[in-house]
PDB file of all heavy atoms in Angstrom:
ATOM      1  N   LEU B  52     199.697-206.183  37.862  1.00  0.00           N
ATOM      2  CA  LEU B  52     200.233-205.602  39.087  1.00  0.00           C
ATOM      3  C   LEU B  52     200.416-206.678  40.140  1.00  0.00           C
ATOM      4  O   LEU B  52     200.757-206.393  41.279  1.00  0.00           O
ATOM      5  CB  LEU B  52     199.288-204.505  39.603  1.00  0.00           C
ATOM      6  CG  LEU B  52     199.175-203.299  38.654  1.00  0.00           C
ATOM      7  CD1 LEU B  52     198.052-202.374  39.083  1.00  0.00           C
ATOM      8  CD2 LEU B  52     200.487-202.538  38.624  1.00  0.00           C
ATOM      9  N   ASP B  91     194.346-204.297  37.662  1.00  0.00           N
ATOM     10  CA  ASP B  91     195.301-205.397  37.605  1.00  0.00           C
ATOM     11  C   ASP B  91     194.788-206.503  36.702  1.00  0.00           C
ATOM     12  O   ASP B  91     193.713-207.045  36.920  1.00  0.00           O
ATOM     13  CB  ASP B  91     195.514-205.940  39.030  1.00  0.00           C
ATOM     14  CG  ASP B  91     196.507-207.074  39.087  1.00  0.00           C
ATOM     15  OD1 ASP B  91     197.154-207.369  38.057  1.00  0.00           O
ATOM     16  OD2 ASP B  91     196.642-207.669  40.159  1.00  0.00           O
ATOM     17  N   GLN B 101     187.902-208.612  31.182  1.00  0.00           N
ATOM     18  CA  GLN B 101     186.888-208.173  32.140  1.00  0.00           C
ATOM     19  C   GLN B 101     187.211-206.759  32.626  1.00  0.00           C
ATOM     20  O   GLN B 101     186.352-205.881  32.667  1.00  0.00           O
ATOM     21  CB  GLN B 101     186.883-209.147  33.310  1.00  0.00           C
ATOM     22  CG  GLN B 101     185.657-209.075  34.171  1.00  0.00           C
ATOM     23  CD  GLN B 101     185.977-209.534  35.587  1.00  0.00           C
ATOM     24  OE1 GLN B 101     186.339-208.744  36.457  1.00  0.00           O
ATOM     25  NE2 GLN B 101     185.856-210.815  35.828  1.00  0.00           N
ATOM     26  N   GLU B 104     186.713-204.148  29.912  1.00  0.00           N
ATOM     27  CA  GLU B 104     185.310-203.813  29.725  1.00  0.00           C
ATOM     28  C   GLU B 104     184.816-202.902  30.846  1.00  0.00           C
ATOM     29  O   GLU B 104     184.051-201.968  30.624  1.00  0.00           O
ATOM     30  CB  GLU B 104     184.470-205.081  29.683  1.00  0.00           C
ATOM     31  CG  GLU B 104     183.069-204.778  29.223  1.00  0.00           C
ATOM     32  CD  GLU B 104     182.332-206.029  28.844  1.00  0.00           C
ATOM     33  OE1 GLU B 104     182.027-206.796  29.766  1.00  0.00           O
ATOM     34  OE2 GLU B 104     182.092-206.219  27.650  1.00  0.00           O
ATOM     35  N   LYS B 105     185.287-203.182  32.061  1.00  0.00           N
ATOM     36  CA  LYS B 105     184.895-202.324  33.180  1.00  0.00           C
ATOM     37  C   LYS B 105     185.351-200.897  32.917  1.00  0.00           C
ATOM     38  O   LYS B 105     184.611-199.943  33.122  1.00  0.00           O
ATOM     39  CB  LYS B 105     185.546-202.856  34.450  1.00  0.00           C
ATOM     40  CG  LYS B 105     185.170-202.110  35.702  1.00  0.00           C
ATOM     41  CD  LYS B 105     185.850-202.782  36.876  1.00  0.00           C
ATOM     42  CE  LYS B 105     185.320-202.230  38.185  1.00  0.00           C
ATOM     43  NZ  LYS B 105     185.992-202.855  39.305  1.00  0.00           N
ATOM     44  N   SER B 121     201.169-210.797  24.875  1.00  0.00           N
ATOM     45  CA  SER B 121     200.473-210.618  23.604  1.00  0.00           C
ATOM     46  C   SER B 121     199.054-211.164  23.658  1.00  0.00           C
ATOM     47  O   SER B 121     198.157-210.611  23.022  1.00  0.00           O
ATOM     48  CB  SER B 121     201.256-211.249  22.461  1.00  0.00           C
ATOM     49  OG  SER B 121     201.736-212.507  22.843  1.00  0.00           O
ATOM     50  N   GLN B 129     190.322-206.764  20.975  1.00  0.00           N
ATOM     51  CA  GLN B 129     188.988-207.151  20.504  1.00  0.00           C
ATOM     52  C   GLN B 129     187.917-206.411  21.305  1.00  0.00           C
ATOM     53  O   GLN B 129     186.911-205.953  20.736  1.00  0.00           O
ATOM     54  CB  GLN B 129     188.829-208.668  20.682  1.00  0.00           C
ATOM     55  CG  GLN B 129     187.801-209.263  19.751  1.00  0.00           C
ATOM     56  CD  GLN B 129     187.843-210.776  19.789  1.00  0.00           C
ATOM     57  OE1 GLN B 129     188.320-211.404  18.862  1.00  0.00           O
ATOM     58  NE2 GLN B 129     187.337-211.346  20.868  1.00  0.00           N
ATOM     59  N   GLU B 192     204.564-218.842  22.737  1.00  0.00           N
ATOM     60  CA  GLU B 192     204.463-218.099  21.486  1.00  0.00           C
ATOM     61  C   GLU B 192     205.574-217.067  21.333  1.00  0.00           C
ATOM     62  O   GLU B 192     206.275-217.023  20.335  1.00  0.00           O
ATOM     63  CB  GLU B 192     203.093-217.419  21.443  1.00  0.00           C
ATOM     64  CG  GLU B 192     202.648-217.003  20.073  1.00  0.00           C
ATOM     65  CD  GLU B 192     202.715-218.124  19.075  1.00  0.00           C
ATOM     66  OE1 GLU B 192     202.309-219.237  19.413  1.00  0.00           O
ATOM     67  OE2 GLU B 192     203.228-217.890  17.967  1.00  0.00           O
TER      68      GLU B 192
ATOM     69  N   ARG C 163     177.482-208.402  32.069  1.00  0.00           N
ATOM     70  CA  ARG C 163     178.493-209.361  31.609  1.00  0.00           C
ATOM     71  C   ARG C 163     179.250-209.961  32.789  1.00  0.00           C
ATOM     72  O   ARG C 163     179.618-211.139  32.770  1.00  0.00           O
ATOM     73  CB  ARG C 163     179.485-208.697  30.659  1.00  0.00           C
ATOM     74  CG  ARG C 163     178.863-208.311  29.338  1.00  0.00           C
ATOM     75  CD  ARG C 163     179.663-208.871  28.157  1.00  0.00           C
ATOM     76  NE  ARG C 163     178.972-208.582  26.906  1.00  0.00           N
ATOM     77  CZ  ARG C 163     179.293-207.571  26.116  1.00  0.00           C
ATOM     78  NH1 ARG C 163     180.265-206.755  26.449  1.00  0.00           N
ATOM     79  NH2 ARG C 163     178.609-207.382  25.000  1.00  0.00           N
ATOM     80  N   GLU C 167     179.500-213.855  33.676  1.00  0.00           N
ATOM     81  CA  GLU C 167     180.740-214.566  33.952  1.00  0.00           C
ATOM     82  C   GLU C 167     180.631-215.297  35.280  1.00  0.00           C
ATOM     83  O   GLU C 167     181.078-216.436  35.407  1.00  0.00           O
ATOM     84  CB  GLU C 167     181.899-213.573  33.998  1.00  0.00           C
ATOM     85  CG  GLU C 167     183.202-214.178  33.524  1.00  0.00           C
ATOM     86  CD  GLU C 167     184.318-213.161  33.465  1.00  0.00           C
ATOM     87  OE1 GLU C 167     184.455-212.493  32.437  1.00  0.00           O
ATOM     88  OE2 GLU C 167     185.045-213.046  34.462  1.00  0.00           O
ATOM     89  N   SER C 268     199.982-220.101  23.111  1.00  0.00           N
ATOM     90  CA  SER C 268     199.825-219.356  24.355  1.00  0.00           C
ATOM     91  C   SER C 268     198.945-218.125  24.206  1.00  0.00           C
ATOM     92  O   SER C 268     198.483-217.565  25.184  1.00  0.00           O
ATOM     93  CB  SER C 268     201.189-218.952  24.907  1.00  0.00           C
ATOM     94  OG  SER C 268     201.928-218.309  23.904  1.00  0.00           O
ATOM     95  N   ASP C 269     198.688-217.682  22.958  1.00  0.00           N
ATOM     96  CA  ASP C 269     197.835-216.506  22.787  1.00  0.00           C
ATOM     97  C   ASP C 269     196.362-216.837  22.772  1.00  0.00           C
ATOM     98  O   ASP C 269     195.531-215.963  22.920  1.00  0.00           O
ATOM     99  CB  ASP C 269     198.181-215.778  21.482  1.00  0.00           C
ATOM    100  CG  ASP C 269     199.481-215.013  21.603  1.00  0.00           C
ATOM    101  OD1 ASP C 269     199.918-214.780  22.734  1.00  0.00           O
ATOM    102  OD2 ASP C 269     200.032-214.641  20.563  1.00  0.00           O
ATOM    103  N   GLY C 273     188.430-213.831  17.965  1.00  0.00           N
ATOM    104  CA  GLY C 273     187.514-213.719  16.837  1.00  0.00           C
ATOM    105  C   GLY C 273     186.353-214.682  16.846  1.00  0.00           C
ATOM    106  O   GLY C 273     185.859-215.070  15.795  1.00  0.00           O
ATOM    107  N   ARG C 364     182.866-213.670  25.775  1.00  0.00           N
ATOM    108  CA  ARG C 364     184.035-212.821  25.661  1.00  0.00           C
ATOM    109  C   ARG C 364     184.669-212.816  24.281  1.00  0.00           C
ATOM    110  O   ARG C 364     185.557-212.027  24.009  1.00  0.00           O
ATOM    111  CB  ARG C 364     185.095-213.267  26.682  1.00  0.00           C
ATOM    112  CG  ARG C 364     184.666-213.063  28.126  1.00  0.00           C
ATOM    113  CD  ARG C 364     184.615-211.614  28.498  1.00  0.00           C
ATOM    114  NE  ARG C 364     184.243-211.401  29.884  1.00  0.00           N
ATOM    115  CZ  ARG C 364     183.754-210.263  30.371  1.00  0.00           C
ATOM    116  NH1 ARG C 364     183.570-209.251  29.568  1.00  0.00           N
ATOM    117  NH2 ARG C 364     183.458-210.158  31.652  1.00  0.00           N
ATOM    118  N   GLY C 365     184.234-213.717  23.421  1.00  0.00           N
ATOM    119  CA  GLY C 365     184.759-213.685  22.066  1.00  0.00           C
ATOM    120  C   GLY C 365     186.137-214.298  21.878  1.00  0.00           C
ATOM    121  O   GLY C 365     186.717-214.183  20.810  1.00  0.00           O
ATOM    122  N   THR C 411     190.053-203.240  42.403  1.00  0.00           N
ATOM    123  CA  THR C 411     190.207-201.837  42.014  1.00  0.00           C
ATOM    124  C   THR C 411     190.882-201.021  43.106  1.00  0.00           C
ATOM    125  O   THR C 411     191.588-200.075  42.828  1.00  0.00           O
ATOM    126  CB  THR C 411     188.830-201.221  41.712  1.00  0.00           C
ATOM    127  OG1 THR C 411     188.077-202.143  40.935  1.00  0.00           O
ATOM    128  CG2 THR C 411     188.981-199.930  40.963  1.00  0.00           C
ATOM    129  N   VAL C 414     196.176-203.588  45.009  1.00  0.00           N
ATOM    130  CA  VAL C 414     196.871-204.580  44.218  1.00  0.00           C
ATOM    131  C   VAL C 414     196.955-205.901  44.984  1.00  0.00           C
ATOM    132  O   VAL C 414     197.128-206.963  44.420  1.00  0.00           O
ATOM    133  CB  VAL C 414     198.297-204.051  43.928  1.00  0.00           C
ATOM    134  CG1 VAL C 414     199.148-205.120  43.332  1.00  0.00           C
ATOM    135  CG2 VAL C 414     198.213-202.873  43.016  1.00  0.00           C
TER     136      VAL C 414
END
Side-chain angles (χ1 to χ4, degrees):
Chain B
L52 295 170
D91 181 8
Q101 197 207 91
E104 191 166 70
K105 183 178 190 181
S121 44
Q129 204 170 254
E192 199 52 43
Chain C
R163 292 233 175 99
E167 212 175 273
S268 52
D269 285 343
R364 294 290 182 200
T411 316
V414 170

